[in-house]
Amino acid sequence: MAVSAELADLEVTDRASFIQYLKLFKEDVLRNKGSENQDLVKFLEVMASWSEALPDYYADVQPEDKINVEIPTWSQFADMMMGARILE
């Protein structure tokens, strides 16, 4: 499953950019109908699991940033959604 470049490159920093992310995310899912987690229930299950693993994800991917997942950002919401979309 390929994520569109526009979606992959969008930096989510605030509510407005998160809304833009949601619109692009929807269009990307519609374009890739054969991709993982098309079912809403499965998507939410995986999103919950991925959200539980968020501290480990950021520790591996951005260890220098010391991201506090207890105070979520718009960017973290976008990361959770993308993780739920591509993971099983």
Side-chain angles (χ1 to χ4, degrees):
M1 175 213 46
V3 174
S4 72
E6 189 177 10
L7 180 60
D9 294 341
L10 180 65
E11 185 175 347
V12 178
T13 57
D14 55 17
R15 188 176 67 86
S17 58
F18 183 71
I19 292 168
Q20 181 64 25
Y21 177 87
L22 290 175
K23 291 176 181 179
L24 291 172
F25 189 90
K26 180 196 79 165
E27 292 303 317
D28 207 60
V29 169
L30 290 173
R31 244 189 323 275
N32 294 294
K33 287 196 179 267
S35 65
E36 295 87 348
N37 298 330
Q38 289 283 321
D39 177 87
L40 180 60
V41 172
K42 179 66 176 170
F43 176 83
L44 293 172
E45 286 173 7
V46 175
M47 188 171 175
S49 295
W50 201 89
S51 299
E52 290 174 344
L54 204 57
D56 295 330
Y57 169 75
Y58 286 125
D60 289 342
V61 175
Q62 299 173 337
E64 67 282 351
D65 291 340
K66 308 260 190 272
I67 294 173
N68 182 355
V69 296
E70 298 305 321
I71 303 172
T73 64
W74 291 109
S75 178
Q76 288 173 3
F77 286 117
D79 288 345
M80 287 184 276
M81 291 184 68
M82 185 58 69
R85 170 142 183 249
I86 61 176
L87 298 175
E88 294 184 33

Coordinates of all heavy atoms in Angstrom, one line a residue:
M1 N 0.8 -1.2 0.0 CA 0.0 0.0 0.0 C 0.9 1.2 0.0 O 1.7 1.4 0.8 CB -0.9 0.0 1.2 CG -1.7 1.2 1.4 SD -2.0 1.8 3.1 CE -0.5 1.7 3.9
A2 N 0.7 2.1 -1.0 CA 1.5 3.3 -1.1 C 0.6 4.5 -0.5 O -0.5 4.6 -0.9 CB 1.9 3.5 -2.5
V3 N 1.2 5.2 0.3 CA 0.6 6.4 0.8 C 0.9 7.6 -0.1 O 2.1 7.7 -0.6 CB 1.1 6.8 2.3 CG1 0.6 8.1 2.7 CG2 0.8 5.6 3.2
S4 N 0.0 8.4 -0.4 CA 0.3 9.5 -1.3 C 1.4 10.4 -0.8 O 1.5 10.6 0.4 CB -1.0 10.4 -1.6 OG -1.3 11.1 -0.4
A5 N 2.1 11.0 -1.7 CA 3.2 11.9 -1.3 C 2.7 13.1 -0.5 O 3.3 13.5 0.5 CB 4.0 12.3 -2.5
E6 N 1.5 13.6 -0.9 CA 0.9 14.8 -0.3 C 0.6 14.4 1.2 O 0.9 15.2 2.1 CB -0.3 15.2 -1.0 CG -0.9 16.5 -0.5 CD -2.1 17.0 -1.3 OE1 -2.6 16.2 -2.1 OE2 -2.5 18.1 -1.1
L7 N 0.1 13.2 1.4 CA -0.3 12.8 2.8 C 1.0 12.6 3.6 O 1.1 13.0 4.7 CB -1.1 11.6 2.8 CG -1.5 11.0 4.1 CD1 -2.3 12.0 4.9 CD2 -2.3 9.7 3.9
A8 N 2.0 11.9 3.0 CA 3.2 11.6 3.7 C 4.0 12.9 4.0 O 4.7 12.9 5.1 CB 4.1 10.7 2.8
D9 N 3.9 13.9 3.2 CA 4.7 15.1 3.4 C 4.0 16.2 4.3 O 4.7 17.1 4.7 CB 5.0 15.7 2.0 CG 6.0 14.8 1.2 OD1 6.6 14.0 1.8 OD2 6.1 15.0 0.0
L10 N 2.7 16.0 4.5 CA 2.0 17.0 5.3 C 2.5 17.0 6.7 O 2.5 16.0 7.4 CB 0.5 16.7 5.3 CG -0.4 17.7 6.0 CD1 -0.3 19.1 5.4 CD2 -1.8 17.2 6.0
E11 N 2.9 18.1 7.2 CA 3.3 18.3 8.6 C 2.1 18.8 9.4 O 1.6 19.8 9.2 CB 4.4 19.3 8.7 CG 5.0 19.4 10.1 CD 6.2 20.4 10.2 OE1 6.7 20.7 9.2 OE2 6.5 20.7 11.3
V12 N 1.7 17.9 10.4 CA 0.5 18.2 11.2 C 1.0 19.0 12.4 O 1.7 18.4 13.2 CB -0.3 17.0 11.6 CG1 -1.4 17.3 12.5 CG2 -0.7 16.2 10.3
T13 N 0.6 20.2 12.5 CA 1.1 21.0 13.7 C 0.0 21.7 14.5 O 0.2 22.2 15.6 CB 2.0 22.2 13.1 OG1 1.3 22.9 12.2 CG2 3.3 21.6 12.5
D14 N -1.2 21.7 13.9 CA -2.3 22.4 14.6 C -3.7 21.8 14.1 O -3.7 20.9 13.3 CB -2.3 23.9 14.3 CG -2.3 24.2 12.8 OD1 -2.6 23.4 12.0 OD2 -1.9 25.4 12.5
R15 N -4.8 22.3 14.6 CA -6.1 21.8 14.3 C -6.3 21.9 12.8 O -6.8 21.0 12.1 CB -7.2 22.5 15.1 CG -8.5 21.9 14.9 CD -9.6 22.7 15.8 NE -9.8 24.0 15.4 CZ -10.7 24.3 14.4 NH1 -11.4 23.4 13.8 NH2 -10.9 25.6 14.1
A16 N -6.0 23.0 12.2 CA -6.3 23.2 10.7 C -5.5 22.2 9.9 O -6.0 21.6 8.9 CB -5.9 24.6 10.3
S17 N -4.2 21.9 10.2 CA -3.5 21.0 9.4 C -3.9 19.5 9.7 O -3.8 18.7 8.9 CB -2.0 21.1 9.7 OG -1.6 21.0 11.0
F18 N -4.5 19.3 10.9 CA -5.0 17.9 11.2 C -6.3 17.7 10.4 O -6.5 16.6 9.9 CB -5.3 17.8 12.7 CG -5.8 16.4 13.1 CD1 -5.0 15.3 13.1 CD2 -7.1 16.2 13.4 CE1 -5.4 14.1 13.4 CE2 -7.6 15.0 13.8 CZ -6.7 13.9 13.8
I19 N -7.1 18.7 10.2 CA -8.3 18.6 9.4 C -7.9 18.3 7.9 O -8.5 17.5 7.3 CB -9.1 19.9 9.5 CG1 -9.7 20.0 10.9 CG2 -10.2 19.9 8.4 CD1 -10.4 21.4 11.2
Q20 N -6.9 19.0 7.5 CA -6.4 18.7 6.1 C -5.8 17.3 6.0 O -6.1 16.6 5.0 CB -5.2 19.7 5.7 CG -4.7 19.5 4.4 CD -5.7 19.8 3.3 OE1 -6.7 20.5 3.4 NE2 -5.5 19.1 2.1
Y21 N -5.2 16.9 7.1 CA -4.7 15.5 7.1 C -5.8 14.5 7.0 O -5.7 13.5 6.3 CB -3.9 15.3 8.4 CG -3.4 13.9 8.6 CD1 -2.2 13.5 8.1 CD2 -4.2 12.9 9.3 CE1 -1.7 12.2 8.3 CE2 -3.7 11.6 9.5 CZ -2.5 11.3 9.0 OH -2.1 10.0 9.1
L22 N -6.9 14.7 7.8 CA -8.1 13.8 7.7 C -8.6 13.7 6.3 O -9.0 12.7 5.9 CB -9.1 14.3 8.7 CG -8.8 14.1 10.2 CD1 -9.9 14.7 11.1 CD2 -8.6 12.6 10.6
K23 N -8.7 14.9 5.7 CA -9.3 14.9 4.3 C -8.4 14.1 3.3 O -8.9 13.3 2.5 CB -9.5 16.3 3.8 CG -10.6 17.1 4.5 CD -10.7 18.5 4.1 CE -11.8 19.2 4.9 NZ -11.9 20.6 4.5
L24 N -7.1 14.3 3.4 CA -6.1 13.6 2.6 C -6.1 12.1 3.0 O -6.0 11.2 2.1 CB -4.7 14.1 2.8 CG -4.5 15.5 2.2 CD1 -3.1 16.0 2.6 CD2 -4.6 15.5 0.7
F25 N -6.2 11.8 4.3 CA -6.3 10.4 4.7 C -7.5 9.7 4.1 O -7.3 8.5 3.6 CB -6.4 10.4 6.3 CG -6.2 9.1 6.9 CD1 -4.9 8.6 7.3 CD2 -7.3 8.2 7.2 CE1 -4.7 7.4 7.9 CE2 -7.1 7.0 7.8 CZ -5.8 6.6 8.2
K26 N -8.6 10.3 4.2 CA -9.8 9.7 3.6 C -9.6 9.4 2.1 O -9.9 8.4 1.6 CB -11.0 10.6 3.8 CG -12.3 10.0 3.2 CD -13.4 11.1 3.0 CE -13.1 11.9 1.8 NZ -14.1 12.7 1.3
E27 N -9.1 10.4 1.4 CA -8.9 10.3 -0.1 C -7.9 9.1 -0.4 O -8.1 8.4 -1.3 CB -8.4 11.6 -0.7 CG -9.5 12.6 -0.7 CD -10.7 12.2 -1.4 OE1 -10.7 11.6 -2.5 OE2 -11.8 12.5 -0.9
D28 N -6.9 9.0 0.5 CA -5.9 8.0 0.3 C -6.5 6.6 0.5 O -6.2 5.7 -0.2 CB -4.7 8.3 1.2 CG -3.4 7.7 0.7 OD1 -3.0 8.1 -0.4 OD2 -2.9 6.8 1.4
V29 N -7.3 6.5 1.6 CA -8.0 5.2 1.8 C -8.9 4.8 0.7 O -8.9 3.7 0.2 CB -8.8 5.3 3.2 CG1 -9.7 4.1 3.3 CG2 -7.8 5.4 4.3
L30 N -9.6 5.8 0.1 CA -10.5 5.5 -1.0 C -9.7 5.1 -2.2 O -10.2 4.2 -3.0 CB -11.4 6.7 -1.3 CG -12.4 7.1 -0.3 CD1 -13.1 8.4 -0.7 CD2 -13.5 6.0 -0.2
R31 N -8.6 5.7 -2.5 CA -7.7 5.3 -3.6 C -7.1 3.9 -3.4 O -6.9 3.2 -4.4 CB -6.6 6.3 -3.7 CG -6.6 7.1 -5.0 CD -5.3 8.0 -5.1 NE -4.7 8.6 -4.0 CZ -5.1 9.7 -3.4 NH1 -6.1 10.4 -3.9 NH2 -4.5 10.2 -2.4
N32 N -6.9 3.5 -2.2 CA -6.2 2.2 -1.9 C -7.2 1.2 -1.3 O -7.0 0.7 -0.2 CB -5.0 2.4 -1.0 CG -4.0 3.2 -1.7 OD1 -3.4 2.8 -2.6 ND2 -3.7 4.4 -1.2
K33 N -8.3 1.0 -1.9 CA -9.4 0.1 -1.3 C -8.9 -1.2 -0.9 O -9.5 -1.8 0.0 CB -10.6 0.0 -2.3 CG -11.3 1.3 -2.4 CD -12.7 1.1 -3.0 CE -13.5 2.3 -3.1 NZ -14.3 2.6 -1.9
G34 N -7.8 -1.8 -1.5 CA -7.4 -3.1 -1.1 C -6.4 -3.0 0.1 O -5.9 -4.0 0.5
S35 N -6.2 -1.8 0.7 CA -5.2 -1.7 1.8 C -5.7 -2.3 3.1 O -6.9 -2.6 3.2 CB -4.8 -0.2 1.9 OG -5.9 0.5 2.4
E36 N -4.9 -2.4 4.0 CA -5.2 -2.9 5.3 C -6.2 -2.1 6.1 O -6.3 -0.9 5.8 CB -3.9 -3.0 6.2 CG -2.9 -4.0 5.7 CD -2.0 -3.4 4.7 OE1 -2.2 -2.3 4.2 OE2 -1.0 -4.0 4.4
N37 N -7.0 -2.7 6.9 CA -7.8 -2.0 7.9 C -8.9 -1.1 7.3 O -9.1 0.0 7.8 CB -7.0 -1.3 9.0 CG -6.1 -2.3 9.7 OD1 -6.5 -3.4 9.9 ND2 -5.0 -1.8 10.2
Q38 N -9.5 -1.6 6.3 CA -10.7 -0.9 5.7 C -11.9 -0.9 6.6 O -12.7 0.0 6.6 CB -11.0 -1.5 4.3 CG -10.0 -1.2 3.2 CD -10.1 0.2 2.7 OE1 -11.2 0.7 2.5 NE2 -9.0 0.8 2.4
D39 N -12.0 -1.9 7.4 CA -13.1 -2.1 8.3 C -12.9 -1.2 9.6 O -11.8 -1.2 10.2 CB -13.2 -3.5 8.8 CG -14.2 -3.8 9.8 OD1 -15.4 -4.0 9.4 OD2 -13.9 -3.8 11.0
L40 N -13.9 -0.4 9.9 CA -13.8 0.6 11.0 C -13.4 0.0 12.3 O -12.6 0.4 13.1 CB -15.0 1.5 11.1 CG -15.0 2.5 12.2 CD1 -13.9 3.5 12.0 CD2 -16.3 3.3 12.2
V41 N -14.1 -1.1 12.6 CA -13.9 -1.8 13.9 C -12.4 -2.3 14.0 O -11.8 -2.1 15.0 CB -14.9 -3.0 14.1 CG1 -14.5 -3.8 15.3 CG2 -16.3 -2.5 14.2
K42 N -11.9 -2.9 12.9 CA -10.5 -3.4 12.9 C -9.6 -2.2 13.0 O -8.6 -2.2 13.8 CB -10.3 -4.2 11.7 CG -8.9 -4.7 11.5 CD -8.5 -5.7 12.6 CE -7.1 -6.3 12.4 NZ -6.7 -7.1 13.5
F43 N -9.9 -1.1 12.3 CA -9.1 0.1 12.4 C -9.0 0.6 13.8 O -7.9 0.9 14.3 CB -9.7 1.2 11.4 CG -9.0 2.5 11.5 CD1 -7.8 2.7 10.7 CD2 -9.4 3.5 12.3 CE1 -7.2 3.9 10.7 CE2 -8.8 4.7 12.3 CZ -7.6 4.9 11.5
L44 N -10.1 0.7 14.5 CA -10.1 1.2 15.9 C -9.4 0.3 16.8 O -8.7 0.7 17.7 CB -11.5 1.4 16.3 CG -12.3 2.6 15.6 CD1 -13.7 2.6 16.0 CD2 -11.6 3.9 15.8
E45 N -9.5 -1.0 16.6 CA -8.7 -2.0 17.4 C -7.2 -1.8 17.3 O -6.5 -1.7 18.3 CB -9.1 -3.4 17.0 CG -10.4 -3.9 17.5 CD -10.8 -5.3 16.9 OE1 -9.9 -5.9 16.3 OE2 -11.9 -5.7 17.1
V46 N -6.8 -1.7 16.0 CA -5.4 -1.5 15.8 C -4.9 -0.1 16.2 O -3.8 0.0 16.8 CB -5.1 -1.7 14.3 CG1 -3.6 -1.4 14.0 CG2 -5.4 -3.1 13.9
M47 N -5.8 0.9 16.1 CA -5.4 2.2 16.6 C -5.2 2.2 18.1 O -4.3 2.9 18.6 CB -6.5 3.3 16.2 CG -6.1 4.7 16.5 SD -7.3 5.8 15.7 CE -6.6 7.4 16.3
A48 N -6.1 1.5 18.8 CA -5.9 1.4 20.3 C -4.6 0.7 20.6 O -3.8 1.2 21.5 CB -7.1 0.7 20.9
S49 N -4.3 -0.4 19.9 CA -3.1 -1.1 20.2 C -1.8 -0.2 19.9 O -0.9 -0.2 20.6 CB -3.0 -2.4 19.4 OG -4.0 -3.3 19.8
W50 N -1.9 0.4 18.7 CA -0.8 1.3 18.3 C -0.6 2.4 19.3 O 0.5 2.8 19.6 CB -1.1 1.8 16.9 CG 0.2 2.2 16.2 CD1 1.0 1.5 15.4 CD2 0.7 3.5 16.2 NE1 2.0 2.2 15.0 CE2 1.9 3.5 15.4 CE3 0.4 4.7 16.8 CZ2 2.7 4.6 15.2 CZ3 1.2 5.8 16.6 CH2 2.3 5.8 15.8
S51 N -1.7 3.0 19.8 CA -1.6 4.1 20.7 C -1.0 3.6 22.0 O -0.2 4.4 22.6 CB -3.0 4.6 21.0 OG -3.6 5.2 19.8
E52 N -1.2 2.4 22.4 CA -0.5 1.9 23.6 C 1.0 1.8 23.4 O 1.7 1.9 24.4 CB -1.1 0.5 24.0 CG -2.5 0.5 24.5 CD -3.1 -0.8 24.7 OE1 -2.6 -1.8 24.2 OE2 -4.1 -0.9 25.4
A53 N 1.4 1.5 22.2 CA 2.8 1.4 21.9 C 3.5 2.7 21.5 O 4.7 2.7 21.2 CB 3.0 0.4 20.7
L54 N 2.7 3.8 21.5 CA 3.3 5.1 21.1 C 4.5 5.5 21.8 O 5.5 6.0 21.2 CB 2.2 6.1 21.3 CG 2.3 7.4 20.5 CD1 2.3 7.1 19.0 CD2 1.1 8.3 20.8
P55 N 4.7 5.3 23.1 CA 5.9 5.7 23.8 C 7.1 4.9 23.2 O 8.2 5.5 23.0 CB 5.7 5.3 25.3 CG 4.3 5.3 25.5 CD 3.7 4.8 24.1
D56 N 7.0 3.6 22.9 CA 8.1 2.9 22.3 C 8.4 3.3 20.9 O 9.5 3.4 20.5 CB 7.8 1.4 22.3 CG 7.7 0.8 23.7 OD1 8.4 1.3 24.6 OD2 6.9 -0.1 23.9
Y57 N 7.3 3.7 20.1 CA 7.5 4.1 18.8 C 8.4 5.4 18.8 O 9.4 5.5 18.0 CB 6.2 4.4 18.1 CG 6.3 5.2 16.8 CD1 6.7 4.5 15.7 CD2 5.9 6.5 16.7 CE1 6.8 5.2 14.5 CE2 6.0 7.2 15.6 CZ 6.4 6.6 14.4 OH 6.6 7.2 13.2
Y58 N 8.0 6.4 19.6 CA 8.8 7.6 19.6 C 10.2 7.5 20.2 O 11.1 8.1 19.7 CB 8.0 8.7 20.3 CG 6.8 9.3 19.6 CD1 5.6 9.3 20.1 CD2 7.0 9.8 18.3 CE1 4.5 9.8 19.4 CE2 5.9 10.3 17.6 CZ 4.7 10.3 18.1 OH 3.6 10.7 17.4
A59 N 10.3 6.6 21.1 CA 11.6 6.3 21.7 C 12.6 5.7 20.6 O 13.8 6.0 20.6 CB 11.6 5.3 22.8
D60 N 12.0 4.9 19.7 CA 12.8 4.4 18.6 C 13.0 5.3 17.5 O 14.1 5.4 16.9 CB 12.1 3.1 18.0 CG 12.2 1.9 19.0 OD1 13.0 2.0 19.9 OD2 11.4 1.0 18.8
V61 N 12.0 6.1 17.1 CA 12.0 6.9 15.9 C 12.6 8.3 16.2 O 13.4 8.8 15.4 CB 10.6 7.0 15.3 CG1 10.6 8.0 14.1 CG2 10.1 5.7 14.8
Q62 N 12.3 8.9 17.3 CA 12.7 10.2 17.7 C 13.3 10.3 19.1 O 12.8 11.0 19.9 CB 11.6 11.2 17.5 CG 11.0 11.3 16.1 CD 9.8 12.2 16.0 OE1 9.1 12.4 17.0 NE2 9.5 12.7 14.9
P63 N 14.3 9.5 19.4 CA 14.8 9.4 20.8 C 15.3 10.7 21.3 O 15.2 11.0 22.5 CB 15.9 8.4 20.7 CG 16.3 8.3 19.3 CD 15.1 8.7 18.5
E64 N 15.8 11.6 20.5 CA 16.4 12.8 20.9 C 15.3 13.9 21.3 O 15.5 14.8 22.1 CB 17.3 13.5 19.9 CG 16.6 13.9 18.6 CD 16.2 12.8 17.6 OE1 16.6 11.6 17.8 OE2 15.4 13.1 16.7
D65 N 14.1 13.6 20.9 CA 13.0 14.6 21.1 C 12.3 14.4 22.4 O 11.6 15.3 22.9 CB 11.9 14.6 20.0 CG 12.5 15.1 18.7 OD1 13.5 15.8 18.7 OD2 11.9 14.7 17.6
K66 N 12.4 13.3 23.1 CA 11.8 13.0 24.4 C 10.3 13.5 24.4 O 9.9 14.3 25.1 CB 12.5 13.7 25.5 CG 14.0 13.4 25.5 CD 14.3 12.4 26.6 CE 15.8 12.2 26.8 NZ 16.4 11.3 26.0
I67 N 9.5 12.9 23.4 CA 8.1 13.3 23.2 C 7.3 12.8 24.4 O 7.3 11.6 24.7 CB 7.6 12.8 21.9 CG1 8.4 13.5 20.8 CG2 6.1 12.9 21.8 CD1 8.1 12.9 19.4
N68 N 6.5 13.6 25.0 CA 5.6 13.3 26.1 C 4.2 12.8 25.5 O 3.5 13.7 25.1 CB 5.4 14.4 27.0 CG 4.6 14.1 28.2 OD1 4.0 13.0 28.3 ND2 4.5 15.0 29.2
V69 N 4.0 11.5 25.5 CA 2.7 11.1 24.9 C 1.5 11.3 25.8 O 0.4 11.1 25.4 CB 2.8 9.6 24.5 CG1 3.9 9.4 23.4 CG2 3.1 8.7 25.6
E70 N 1.8 11.7 27.0 CA 0.7 12.0 27.9 C 0.1 13.3 27.7 O -1.0 13.7 28.2 CB 1.2 11.9 29.4 CG 1.7 10.5 29.8 CD 0.7 9.4 29.6 OE1 -0.5 9.6 29.8 OE2 1.1 8.3 29.1
I71 N 0.7 14.1 26.9 CA 0.2 15.4 26.4 C 0.2 15.4 24.9 O 1.1 15.8 24.2 CB 1.0 16.6 26.9 CG1 1.1 16.6 28.5 CG2 0.4 17.9 26.5 CD1 2.1 17.5 29.1
P72 N -0.9 14.8 24.3 CA -0.9 14.6 22.9 C -0.9 15.8 22.0 O -1.4 16.9 22.5 CB -2.1 13.7 22.6 CG -3.0 14.0 23.8 CD -2.1 14.3 24.9
T73 N -0.3 15.7 20.9 CA -0.4 16.8 19.9 C -1.2 16.4 18.7 O -1.5 15.2 18.5 CB 1.1 17.2 19.5 OG1 1.6 16.1 18.8 CG2 2.0 17.5 20.7
W74 N -1.5 17.4 17.8 CA -2.2 17.1 16.6 C -1.3 16.1 15.8 O -1.9 15.2 15.1 CB -2.5 18.3 15.8 CG -3.5 19.2 16.5 CD1 -3.2 20.4 17.1 CD2 -4.9 18.9 16.7 NE1 -4.4 20.9 17.7 CE2 -5.4 20.0 17.4 CE3 -5.7 17.9 16.3 CZ2 -6.8 20.1 17.7 CZ3 -7.1 18.0 16.6 CH2 -7.6 19.0 17.3
S75 N -0.1 16.3 15.8 CA 0.8 15.4 15.0 C 0.8 13.9 15.5 O 0.8 13.0 14.8 CB 2.3 15.9 15.1 OG 3.2 15.0 14.5
Q76 N 0.7 13.8 16.8 CA 0.6 12.4 17.4 C -0.7 11.8 17.0 O -0.8 10.6 16.7 CB 0.7 12.5 18.9 CG 2.1 12.8 19.4 CD 2.2 13.0 20.9 OE1 1.3 12.9 21.6 NE2 3.4 13.3 21.3
F77 N -1.8 12.5 16.9 CA -3.1 11.9 16.5 C -2.9 11.4 15.0 O -3.4 10.4 14.7 CB -4.2 13.0 16.6 CG -4.7 13.2 18.0 CD1 -4.6 14.4 18.6 CD2 -5.3 12.2 18.7 CE1 -5.1 14.7 19.9 CE2 -5.7 12.4 20.0 CZ -5.6 13.6 20.6
A78 N -2.3 12.2 14.2 CA -2.0 11.8 12.8 C -1.2 10.6 12.8 O -1.5 9.6 12.0 CB -1.4 13.0 12.0
D79 N -0.1 10.5 13.6 CA 0.7 9.3 13.7 C -0.1 8.1 14.1 O 0.1 7.0 13.5 CB 1.9 9.5 14.6 CG 2.9 10.5 14.1 OD1 2.9 10.8 12.9 OD2 3.8 10.9 15.0
M80 N -1.0 8.2 15.1 CA -1.8 7.1 15.5 C -2.7 6.6 14.4 O -2.8 5.4 14.2 CB -2.6 7.5 16.7 CG -1.8 7.6 18.0 SD -2.9 7.9 19.4 CE -3.0 9.7 19.3
M81 N -3.3 7.5 13.6 CA -4.2 7.1 12.5 C -3.4 6.4 11.4 O -3.8 5.4 10.9 CB -4.9 8.3 12.0 CG -5.9 8.9 12.9 SD -6.8 10.2 12.2 CE -7.8 9.4 11.0
M82 N -2.2 6.9 11.1 CA -1.4 6.3 10.0 C -0.9 4.9 10.5 O -1.0 4.0 9.7 CB -0.2 7.2 9.6 CG 0.6 6.6 8.5 SD -0.4 6.3 7.0 CE -0.8 8.0 6.5
G83 N -0.5 4.8 11.7 CA -0.1 3.5 12.3 C -1.2 2.5 12.2 O -1.0 1.4 11.8
A84 N -2.4 2.9 12.6 CA -3.6 2.0 12.5 C -3.9 1.6 11.1 O -4.4 0.5 10.9 CB -4.8 2.7 13.2
R85 N -3.7 2.5 10.2 CA -4.0 2.2 8.8 C -3.1 1.1 8.2 O -3.5 0.3 7.4 CB -3.9 3.4 8.0 CG -4.0 3.1 6.5 CD -4.8 4.1 5.7 NE -4.9 3.6 4.4 CZ -4.3 4.2 3.3 NH1 -3.6 5.3 3.5 NH2 -4.4 3.7 2.1
I86 N -1.8 1.2 8.6 CA -0.9 0.3 7.9 C -0.5 -0.9 8.6 O 0.1 -1.8 8.1 CB 0.4 1.1 7.4 CG1 1.1 1.7 8.7 CG2 0.0 2.2 6.5 CD1 2.4 2.4 8.4
L87 N -0.8 -1.0 9.9 CA -0.5 -2.1 10.7 C -1.7 -3.0 10.9 O -2.8 -2.6 10.9 CB 0.1 -1.7 12.1 CG 1.3 -0.9 12.1 CD1 1.7 -0.4 13.5 CD2 2.5 -1.6 11.5
E88 N -1.4 -4.3 11.2 CA -2.5 -5.2 11.4 C -2.5 -5.7 12.9 O -1.6 -5.6 13.5 CB -2.3 -6.5 10.5 CG -2.5 -6.1 9.1 CD -2.4 -7.4 8.2 OE1 -2.8 -8.4 8.6 OE2 -1.9 -7.2 7.1

